[in-house]
Amino acid sequence: KGSKPAAFDVAKAKALLAEAGIAPGSLTLELLAYSDKAEFKDLSAIIQEQLKAIGVTVNIRLAAYAALEPDMLAGKYDIALLSRSHLTDVADPLAFLTSDYTCKRGYNLSQFCDTAMDDALAKAAGEPDVAKRHQIYAAAATTLQERAVNVFIIHERGSDAVSSKVKGYALHPLYHYTLTAGLAVD
C-alpha cells in the first residue's frame, strides 16, 4: 500500500490556514536551502511562489550545507530542503529510520520525538523475521505521513536504457550501476 502525493489545492490550503487562525499575509517563514545542490535554488523559488499564492511569505536563506547544518540539527528553521539518499547501500530502512526519527539520534532534523516510535524501532532492530520488521516499518511510515513529519517533494530515480544487444545486465533495485563478468555486448 503506497501513499498518495498531496494534491495541489490552493483553496483548501487557504481554508486550512484560516481554520488554524492564520490571517492571509500574517505568516512569514524562512526556508533553508543549500547551494551545494544546484537545483535547490530553483526549487526554493518555486516553493516561495507557491506559498505566496496562499498568503505565506517565504524568505530563502541559500548557503553552503556546512553553514546551514548547525541550525538544521538544532531545529532552528521553519522549512529546510534536504537531499537524502535513503536505502542506497542497505535495503533495510532501520538505520535511517533510527537516525532520522528517534528522540536522541544525531540526524533527526525534523526534531520528531515519539517514544512509541523509539520502542517500535528498537523492537525492529531485534526482530529476525523480515516480514515482522516490515510490518513495523509500514506502521512507522504511516505515523510519519499522518503526522506530516516531512514532506517529500520529489523522488528522483535513475533510468537505464538497454539495447537488445546487451546480455547479462539487470537494473539494480537501488539504481546502482553494477558491471559483472556476465555483461556482454553482441
Side-chain angles (χ1 to χ4, degrees):
K1 167 179 152 177
S3 25
K4 294 180 182 176
F8 183 75
D9 187 334
V10 173
K12 183 175 181 180
K14 286 181 177 181
L16 288 170
L17 286 174
E19 182 182 314
I22 299 170
S26 68
L27 182 60
T28 299
L29 302 172
E30 181 180 46
L31 185 151
L32 304 185
Y34 48 94
S35 54
D36 313 55
K37 193 97 168 126
E39 61 270 28
F40 277 5
K41 182 178 180 183
D42 291 337
L43 184 55
S44 59
I46 291 167
I47 292 168
Q48 182 181 49
E49 284 303 307
Q50 288 181 331
L51 291 174
K52 183 179 179 181
I54 63 169
V56 175
T57 300
V58 175
N59 297 320
I60 299 168
R61 181 164 52 137
L62 184 68
Y65 178 80
L68 298 175
E69 185 182 51
D71 283 345
M72 291 172 77
L73 288 171
K76 295 178 183 175
Y77 64 90
D78 299 313
I79 306 169
L81 291 178
L82 179 69
S83 176
R84 190 98 156 97
S85 299
H86 298 307
L87 303 178
T88 55
D89 38 354
V90 179
D92 190 302
L94 182 64
F96 87 80
L97 286 171
T98 302
S99 171
D100 293 13
Y101 301 110
T102 55
C103 297
K104 298 187 192 278
R105 292 308 254 221
Y107 209 69
N108 188 344
L109 298 179
S110 63
Q111 306 297 305
F112 176 79
C113 181
D114 182 330
T115 56
M117 177 74 77
D118 289 7
D119 294 345
L121 293 175
K123 182 179 177 185
E127 178 55 64
D129 184 311
V130 174
K132 289 180 182 175
R133 273 199 322 273
H134 282 252
Q135 288 175 345
I136 295 169
Y137 302 151
T142 298
T143 297
L144 294 169
Q145 181 160 352
E146 287 175 354
R147 293 177 63 185
V149 173
N150 296 113
V151 177
F152 294 94
I153 296 174
I154 185 169
H155 180 261
E156 296 178 276
R157 290 195 163 190
S159 58
D160 296 351
V162 180
S163 165
S164 60
K165 295 178 181 182
V166 175
K167 306 294 180 216
Y169 180 79
L171 295 174
H172 190 280
L174 301 175
Y175 307 104
H176 293 178
Y177 296 104
T178 307
L179 303 177
T180 64
L183 182 63
V185 177
D186 285 344

